[in-house]
Amino acid sequence: MERRTVLIDLALQGGGSHGAFTWGVLDRLLEDHRIVIDSICGTSAGAMNAAVLVAGDSQDGRRGAKEALARFWARIGEAGRYGPLQRTIFDRVFGGWRLDYSPSYVALDFMTRVFSPYQLNPLKLNPLRQVLEETIDFDAVRYAPGIRLFVCATNVRSGKVKVFSGAEVTVDALLASACLPDLFQAVEIKGEFYYDGGYMGNPALFPLVYESPCNDLVIVQINPLYREEIPQTAREIIDRVNEISFNATLMREMRAIHFVNRLIDGGQLERNDYRRTNIHLIEAAAEMKELHASSKLNADPELLDYLFKLGRSSAGQWLEAHFDKIGVASSIDVAKTYL
């Protein structure tokens, strides 16, 4: 019996070093030859994962993509192993992967509340630039004949989402997509300035809905949607507000997609004019909730390996449970999850 091949789009959230979870998801999906990726839209770490995958795929197919992702995250782990943000013994005992007791993290947290990156980092130094330049062939990304790539950033002046694609995808576009304004100066590209794409699209879904012929959209969710506990400390409140903010645009777009799907299902819109979008979700909500926001700055190879394995396991479980729904129906209750 011939295996069924399905076409999917991927929407990859940002989340600092938590993007290693997405690495694991992608690594597992690339192993399944029933899965064909048409397009990817990503923000921040999601955009970097996507660009690495596209470059590797254009050079050596699935194997090239897997190897490129492994090299990229090995390079991130190497930088993290010797970087200033290290867990203390108290973090290891009480906080798992957190950096709450790290003197460097505490100092950074304090300084970024008092001074801007224009004062703290006038030379615009960003260690990610060298990593990206060393690990990504941007010609392979920009002119890849296969998977289409969309990278999200936020225009500082207009407050609108900017989606880079094709020849626009450069190292500066990726840095713009990951530009947290309390840590880095706004990234200038052709006279416009950009912040992290998460503020207006984490990631944006409309490029996939408008530009891809695919009916199935797989979201790799990093930032927790729901938390039972109410934040009490100043740090917890800030972290939760950031989570809500970075999920807000995704939830609004999901509401619009769900609305269109309902109109199509009810016969109020013609299927020839509008496309029904099946929504799928790969996540590890329980495990990701346990990771404090400070761990997004923790590039310890042990954490990256843990997240990679968690991503692979989560993707494997999703394939086992929901592969047969691809091309047929959504595998989540969209209204319950996002509305």
Side-chain angles (χ1 to χ4, degrees):
M1 182 177 178
E2 187 176 351
R3 295 189 305 174
R4 183 168 74 101
T5 300
V6 297
L7 190 67
I8 66 169
D9 289 332
L10 291 171
L12 309 181
Q13 280 200 323
S17 63
H18 293 186
F21 172 82
T22 303
W23 165 34
V25 170
L26 297 176
D27 189 79
R28 179 63 183 86
L29 293 180
L30 287 165
E31 287 181 359
D32 195 321
H33 288 261
R34 300 173 299 172
I35 298 285
V36 177
I37 302 170
D38 181 87
S39 304
I40 309 176
C41 189
T43 292
S44 191
M48 294 177 191
N49 272 318
V52 173
L53 184 153
V54 169
D57 177 77
S58 69
Q59 294 171 328
D60 194 18
R62 294 171 185 263
R63 183 178 67 177
K66 286 169 61 71
E67 291 176 352
L69 284 163
R71 286 194 300 270
F72 173 75
W73 284 101
R75 184 68 179 80
I76 294 292
E78 179 185 341
R81 187 187 301 276
Y82 302 106
L85 296 176
Q86 301 290 333
R87 288 182 297 163
T88 66
I89 185 63
F90 297 103
D91 292 311
R92 295 174 186 273
V93 172
F94 298 110
W97 302 107
R98 299 183 178 192
L99 296 170
D100 293 13
Y101 296 98
S102 166
S104 296
Y105 176 77
V106 172
L108 177 66
D109 185 55
F110 172 77
M111 294 293 283
T112 55
R113 293 171 190 262
V114 179
F115 302 102
S116 83
Y118 293 85
Q119 298 167 302
L120 293 174
N121 188 9
L123 298 180
K124 302 182 181 180
L125 301 178
N126 189 330
L128 276 174
R129 177 178 292 276
Q130 183 177 354
V131 174
L132 293 171
E133 290 175 340
E134 290 177 354
T135 56
I136 300 178
D137 182 341
F138 281 92
D139 284 337
V141 173
R142 289 191 291 267
Y143 306 109
I147 303 169
R148 287 179 291 184
L149 171 63
F150 303 97
V151 172
C152 301
T154 300
N155 186 298
V156 178
R157 288 193 175 106
S158 70
K160 296 179 180 178
V161 63
K162 167 64 178 178
V163 179
F164 297 96
S165 62
E168 295 178 313
V169 179
T170 63
V171 64
D172 283 327
L174 293 182
L175 292 176
S177 183
C179 179
L180 293 172
D182 57 341
L183 294 178
F184 303 108
Q185 294 186 35
V187 177
E188 181 180 3
I189 301 175
K190 295 183 178 180
E192 290 292 346
F193 293 82
Y194 298 97
Y195 286 155
D196 193 295
Y199 297 109
M200 293 306 296
N202 193 22
L205 303 182
F206 69 86
L208 302 175
V209 174
Y210 293 165
E211 302 294 335
S212 171
C214 181
N215 292 330
D216 288 81
L217 174 56
V218 179
I219 300 167
V220 181
Q221 183 86 35
I222 289 180
N223 298 295
L225 290 167
Y226 179 84
R227 285 187 182 273
E228 183 67 36
E229 67 278 6
I230 302 301
Q232 301 290 320
T233 69
R235 182 73 261 175
E236 290 172 346
I237 293 170
I238 292 172
D239 292 342
R240 184 54 181 156
V241 168
N242 285 335
E243 283 181 346
I244 293 171
S245 299
F246 274 47
N247 282 325
T249 54
L250 174 64
M251 297 178 79
R252 286 197 293 269
E253 285 196 277
M254 291 300 297
R255 184 182 297 273
I257 290 173
H258 179 65
F259 179 66
V260 172
N261 283 347
R262 285 180 57 197
L263 293 179
I264 293 173
D265 293 343
Q268 296 163 281
L269 291 177
E270 292 291 336
R271 288 182 180 269
N272 292 335
D273 298 326
Y274 294 89
R275 186 174 77 238
R276 195 186 195 288
T277 303
N278 300 320
I279 302 298
H280 311 279
L281 179 66
I282 301 178
E283 63 173 350
E287 292 83 356
M288 299 305 282
K289 285 178 185 177
E290 297 301 316
L291 297 176
H292 187 267
S294 65
S295 65
K296 292 182 178 181
L297 296 177
N298 181 4
D300 187 323
E302 292 183 22
L303 172 59
L304 303 184
D305 182 64
Y306 164 75
L307 289 168
F308 169 73
K309 292 175 179 176
L310 180 62
R312 277 190 56 87
S313 173
S314 299
Q317 292 171 17
W318 176 79
L319 286 168
E320 181 71 24
H322 300 299
F323 176 82
D324 289 339
K325 288 190 176 181
I326 302 175
V328 178
S330 296
S331 59
I332 61 169
D333 184 332
V334 175
K336 182 178 179 180
T337 304
Y338 287 103
L339 274 61

